[in-house]
Amino acid sequence: MLSPVVSNRLVVLDTETTGLNHQEGHRIIEIGCVELINRRITGNRFHVYINPDRAIDQGAIEVHGITNQFLEDKPRFADILDDFIGFIKGAELVIHNAPFDVGFINHEFSRLTDKVGSLDNYSTVFDTLAFARKKHPGQRNSLDALCKRYSIDNSHRELHGALLDAEILADVFLLMTGGQSSLLDEGEAAEQESRNAQQPRQLANNRPVLTVVYCSEQELVEHQHRLDAIKKTSGSCVWAQ
């Protein structure tokens, strides 16, 4: 999870859950994903609320604000599985505190009757929390702390939300791993710059004639005096006379 991101297609992912521990039977209730290609946010997103068929802990509701009543008419995880796998398949997932989300996703996979396998059958994972701890040792590396460190405005984040947090994490990730690239990706931009430097520039035929300004006799005398003074002081003068 600490290996460098090498995939051209990244999916920044976050989840919200009914509680903190899937081993106690807690479930995913929201998934938010944001796509990046060549370090550019494409606008392609995956977002879904999920009926977990169980009660949400009150402490979790206070964090994300999602209620049991709100989820009553939402699809089950099995209903969104194909669309979810279709969105993340082949991408590198960027997740903050990846073991938490990966654990919950694999728990949901394991509950299905079909043999779905585990998340690593479909995607690799880059953990931004582990990366931040390595880059900023001894400092707070929560998503809020990273927003403050990298001057990202998250004032609209009153409650946690999977899609909102994924969008914020995408900005954090780009800055923390080297900043957003230009409209061209780095390789293409460098190649274009090299091509431009090698191409001779054609001057316009109607360009103004260059003005040549010659030294006056007095300026030539003063220049020679300066050369003589340098030669006398240093023993030699390399300037052309």
Side-chain angles (χ1 to χ4, degrees):
M1 290 184 183
L2 274 175
S3 60
V5 175
V6 295
S7 175
N8 288 332
R9 182 174 183 265
L10 309 177
V11 171
V12 185
L13 179 148
D14 188 56
T15 64
E16 299 298 339
T17 63
T18 61
L20 293 176
N21 193 344
H22 63 80
Q23 294 178 339
E24 297 175 357
H26 284 292
R27 308 283 306 278
I28 293 175
I29 58 175
E30 184 187 9
I31 300 174
C33 298
V34 175
E35 180 187 63
L36 286 77
I37 295 180
N38 293 328
R39 294 181 59 82
R40 289 178 289 178
I41 298 173
T42 66
N44 193 16
R45 289 166 169 76
F46 177 87
H47 182 225
V48 64
Y49 292 102
I50 301 167
N51 186 336
D53 289 316
R54 61 153 292 155
I56 305 171
D57 283 359
Q58 184 58 40
I61 294 175
E62 292 172 0
V63 170
H64 49 58
I66 302 172
T67 64
N68 296 285
Q69 292 75 17
F70 175 76
L71 297 176
E72 285 179 354
D73 62 345
K74 301 302 184 288
R76 272 67 178 179
F77 190 89
D79 299 324
I80 62 94
L81 176 66
D82 290 343
D83 289 340
F84 174 58
I85 290 180
F87 192 86
I88 67 169
K89 190 172 183 179
E92 181 153 22
L93 302 182
V94 177
I95 307 175
H96 200 66
N97 190 19
F100 178 87
D101 300 87
V102 171
F104 266 91
I105 292 170
N106 282 335
H107 176 65
E108 294 290 348
F109 284 177
S110 70
R111 291 175 54 89
L112 302 175
T113 54
D114 294 332
K115 297 298 182 181
V116 181
S118 61
L119 187 62
D120 58 13
N121 291 337
Y122 309 100
S123 305
T124 56
V125 175
F126 180 85
D127 187 352
T128 53
L129 178 58
F131 183 85
R133 285 173 173 168
K134 187 175 181 180
K135 185 171 184 177
H136 307 291
Q139 301 182 53
R140 294 179 60 248
N141 290 297
S142 66
L143 189 55
D144 285 335
L146 291 172
C147 285
K148 184 175 181 180
R149 185 171 302 142
Y150 290 99
S151 300
I152 294 172
D153 181 15
N154 67 337
S155 57
H156 53 301
R157 186 183 185 241
E158 297 180 1
L159 292 171
H160 288 248
L163 183 59
L164 174 60
D165 286 0
E167 290 172 340
I168 293 173
L169 180 58
D171 291 335
V172 168
F173 167 79
L174 289 170
L175 289 173
M176 186 169 61
T177 59
Q180 177 62 290
S181 59
S182 64
L183 293 178
L184 298 172
D185 66 52
E186 294 178 3
E188 186 180 348
E191 183 179 349
Q192 183 64 45
E193 183 178 351
S194 176
R195 285 198 299 266
N196 291 341
Q198 294 173 13
Q199 289 292 332
R201 186 163 60 94
Q202 182 68 44
L203 298 177
N205 293 329
N206 60 348
R207 67 187 185 279
V209 177
L210 293 177
T211 302
V212 179
V213 180
Y214 294 96
C215 298
S216 67
E217 289 296 329
Q218 182 61 35
E219 288 171 335
L220 287 173
V221 170
E222 292 178 357
H223 178 64
Q224 186 59 51
H225 288 164
R226 173 60 60 185
L227 295 180
D228 292 342
I230 293 174
K231 185 175 182 179
K232 183 178 181 180
T233 303
S234 62
S236 64
C237 179
V238 296
W239 291 2
Q241 300 187 25

